[in-house]
Amino acid sequence: MAKILMVASEATPFIKTGGLADVAGSLPAALKERGEDVAVVLPRYREARIDGARRVAENIAVWLGQAKYSVDVQLAVERGVPYYFIDCPALYDREGIYVNGDGDFPDNHIRFAVLAKAAFGIIRYVYRPDILHCHDWQASLAPVYLKTALAGDPTFMGIRTVLTIHNLGYQGIFPPAMLPQIGLDTGVFTIGGLEFFGNLNLLKGGIVYSDAITTVSKGYACEIQTEEYGFGLDGLLRDRSTALTGILNGVDYSLWNPETDNYIAAHYSVDDLSGKSACKLDLLRKFGLPDEAAERPLIGIVSRFAGQKGFDLIEEIASDLASEDVTIVALGTGEMRYEDLFRRLAASHPGKIAVRIAYDNPLAHKIEAGADMFLMPSLYEPCGLNQIYSLRYGTVPVVRATGGLDDTIDEGTGFKFKEYSGAALLATLRDALAAWQNRERWKELMRNGMRKDFSWNASAGEYAALYHRLLG
Ligand code: ADP
Ligand code: GLC
């Protein structure tokens, strides 16, 4: 048994903006089921739902250079896993997680430096792990502190570090003048350290200073070592390739399963698909679409609205697509330009394209269950969870063959295209629409997907093997 402390910036069921939360909310429980001992550190945001948490430590001093942040620690236990919330109201008790209406919070470097440093307070006073497992740039300073400022401290000796990159597109880049504010000295501001084209790059620090690096699919682990997908860090990742592995995310079928999902209109299974049509009708009505649309194929989208997700391609082909006999429902929030794009598409194709600009978990479940196809034309996708959920709901994925999308979808379960172009997307969608007309072939595709098993079992085993390898 290994003792693992994870550091992350979001986790279900407490706080979520994207797939990182699904992973940080389900991998720990899966590891625990395998007999590992796991705890997680998170910020106590205003929006974090932690009723019933209790305070387990108070006034822990977290030093960033000369600046002292005093934090309390609240504990909530979820599926047997302790989640320690760093309570520091000046940093986390505000509207928004990473951003507000004006964009990124200007003190994000401090907010996540305190998170990373506070993890060592947990280690000193509450829970001493063998492995410190950090997720994304928000946790990336932890391995940096361990190997620099805290290197001589016997309390932390022997702790091994893992960094998981969920998305290389977000690196935590800040002006170099902020270095003292995160409690680091200029010694780390080198090309072999956190320096990145004249700026500070926190994710780079995590990559440089961690003992092992993982990312969330095998395909993405290869892609990020290329210039096309490397966001300027491909050279470093190639240098560290022996420490880098891809471990596909698992999914939590206790939450995402049409046989038990309480958000959907009717339950169904691979042996009895009949409930799915009630889900389709319910979904159409939720979007104010006519019942007759149930006779046409229905394409669903659930997504953060970000450049990564490939919506530029949808913009390119919108009028061609709308001339097909098809209905599209989209749920998402994010960048204004994509929110506007979907609003425009809905306004110009009423009754065919409908959009809900919101973050709405029950509606996300209804789309998984009610749609016939699920569209993810991502420019890049480290893993992607929605296409995996879609498989289980018999909602056939149409995806771009990149990263985790390419690794999880094949000809027997969905449709994919390689070239990032509107033409390639349109051709593939037309193939899918044609296949839908053949009810027997379509049911076969649905059933193939529903039988796939992407539960955490295998992937949690790969993490456990990595931890034990690191511990020798
Ligand atoms: P990413 O982490 O890049 O956003 P993933 O596919 O890994 O992509 O995970 C996205 C997760 O967030 C899924 O669980 C999805 O259902 C959820 N999600 C994304 N956007 C919304 C939304 N607008 N409403 C509800 N859930 C959403
Ligand atoms: C990121 C990626 C997504 C992945 C998720 C969880 O947000 O964009 O592809 O599934 O993290 O690892």
Side-chain angles (χ1 to χ4, degrees):
M1 182 201 73
K3 289 184 79 178
I4 301 119
L5 183 64
M6 294 200 189
V7 185
S9 55
E10 49 183 275
T12 56
F14 308 108
I15 187 84
K16 167 168 165 176
T17 70
L20 166 62
D22 298 66
V23 174
S26 56
L27 170 60
L31 285 164
K32 191 161 164 105
E33 257 169 51
R34 301 183 55 88
E36 310 296 341
D37 191 343
V38 194
V40 185
V41 182
L42 289 169
R44 189 212 195 299
Y45 305 107
R46 178 181 297 174
E47 288 166 51
R49 287 195 301 260
I50 59 164
D51 315 328
R54 64 189 169 87
R55 199 186 304 153
V56 290
E58 52 187 11
N59 293 326
I60 294 184
V62 176
W63 289 94
L64 298 181
Q66 304 299 315
K68 181 179 153 188
Y69 297 84
S70 180
V71 311
D72 291 354
V73 180
Q74 314 252 5
L75 166 66
V77 178
E78 183 66 26
R79 286 194 271 185
V81 176
Y83 283 80
Y84 294 108
F85 290 85
I86 305 303
D87 194 357
C88 183
L91 298 179
Y92 309 127
D93 186 13
R94 57 175 81 165
E95 207 150 305
I97 310 300
Y98 310 120
V99 298
N100 64 13
D102 302 327
D104 288 354
F105 291 127
D107 59 348
N108 271 347
H109 59 303
I110 296 176
R111 298 172 74 231
F112 294 107
V114 167
L115 175 71
K117 202 70 180 284
F120 295 96
I122 303 274
I123 295 174
R124 191 185 297 280
Y125 300 113
V126 186
Y127 180 92
R128 205 283 184 190
D130 310 306
I131 299 279
L132 186 59
H133 184 165
C134 302
H135 296 270
D136 277 351
W137 74 263
Q138 290 90 345
S140 282
L141 282 173
V144 180
Y145 293 136
L146 183 66
K147 297 256 168 81
T148 58
L150 302 173
D153 192 322
T155 315
F156 309 120
M157 259 171 205
I159 294 177
R160 311 283 284 158
T161 50
V162 178
L163 172 71
T164 295
I165 301 171
H166 294 265
N167 195 330
L168 200 59
Y170 300 83
Q171 300 182 358
I173 295 177
F174 300 97
M178 290 178 172
L179 196 60
Q181 295 170 24
I182 58 175
L184 291 171
D185 63 45
T186 49
V188 299
F189 193 67
T190 63
I191 187 132
L194 279 71
E195 193 272 340
F196 185 70
F197 299 105
N199 281 316
L200 264 174
N201 183 325
L202 304 197
L203 185 71
K204 185 182 175 203
I207 296 171
V208 168
Y209 286 97
S210 295
D211 297 315
I213 304 150
T214 72
T215 187
V216 290
S217 67
K218 308 238 181 292
Y220 195 60
C222 296
E223 286 175 350
I224 57 177
Q225 298 180 55
T226 67
E227 209 180 321
E228 187 183 354
Y229 290 96
F231 284 97
L233 290 174
D234 44 295
L236 172 62
L237 289 161
R238 284 194 298 276
D239 287 347
R240 295 233 55 201
S241 63
T242 53
L244 170 66
T245 49
I247 302 178
L248 191 72
N249 287 332
V251 303
D252 188 342
Y253 290 124
S254 73
L255 300 175
W256 296 94
N257 179 353
E259 294 176 55
T260 53
D261 190 331
N262 286 329
Y263 295 121
I264 65 179
H267 290 154
Y268 58 94
S269 69
V270 67
D271 301 316
D272 178 6
L273 294 170
S274 56
K276 193 165 166 71
S277 47
C279 295
K280 184 171 181 178
L281 204 57
D282 176 51
L283 176 60
L284 288 168
R285 289 176 182 168
K286 278 275 167 319
F287 274 90
L289 291 162
D291 286 1
E292 302 81 74
E295 305 305 316
R296 295 195 285 273
L298 176 58
I299 299 177
I301 293 171
V302 178
S303 188
R304 286 185 298 116
F305 284 165
Q308 165 196 353
K309 301 295 179 178
F311 298 128
D312 300 315
L313 299 187
I314 297 186
E315 179 168 27
E316 232 179 286
I317 63 159
S319 51
D320 290 310
L321 188 55
S323 69
E324 302 280 335
D325 200 20
V326 64
T327 310
I328 302 172
V329 296
L331 166 67
T333 59
E335 290 173 30
M336 196 59 78
R337 55 174 294 213
Y338 297 112
E339 294 190 353
D340 287 344
L341 165 65
F342 277 101
R343 278 198 202 97
R344 253 189 348 262
L345 293 178
S348 44
H349 306 285
K352 285 207 103 172
I353 302 181
V355 61
R356 184 75 44 86
I357 307 291
Y359 183 88
D360 184 334
N361 182 51
L363 190 58
H365 285 251
K366 285 182 189 296
I367 293 176
E368 289 294 359
D372 296 300
M373 303 168 194
F374 194 92
L375 179 58
M376 278 178 91
S378 304
L379 175 61
Y380 73 93
E381 197 61 70
C383 176
L385 295 170
N386 280 112
Q387 83 281 11
I388 306 179
Y389 300 148
S390 298
L391 289 174
R392 180 53 59 103
Y393 284 80
T395 301
V396 176
V398 178
V399 304
R400 178 156 177 265
T402 182
L405 295 173
D406 199 17
D407 288 4
T408 53
I409 305 304
D410 58 44
E411 277 167 18
T413 58
F415 296 83
K416 53 185 179 179
F417 62 100
K418 185 77 202 166
E419 185 189 278
Y420 188 74
S421 72
L425 168 60
L426 187 61
T428 305
L429 275 170
R430 285 185 170 141
D431 287 348
L433 295 174
W436 185 84
Q437 301 296 337
N438 178 340
R439 302 309 296 151
E440 280 322 299
R441 161 141 195 243
W442 194 259
K443 279 195 182 139
E444 198 46 40
L445 274 171
M446 289 169 66
R447 291 203 186 94
N448 290 344
M450 293 175 86
R451 286 195 196 98
K452 291 275 173 190
D453 180 6
F454 288 100
S455 56
W456 270 110
N457 245 341
S459 299
E462 288 185 55
Y463 280 108
L466 171 67
Y467 302 146
H468 289 284
R469 220 166 35 244
L470 284 173
L471 295 172

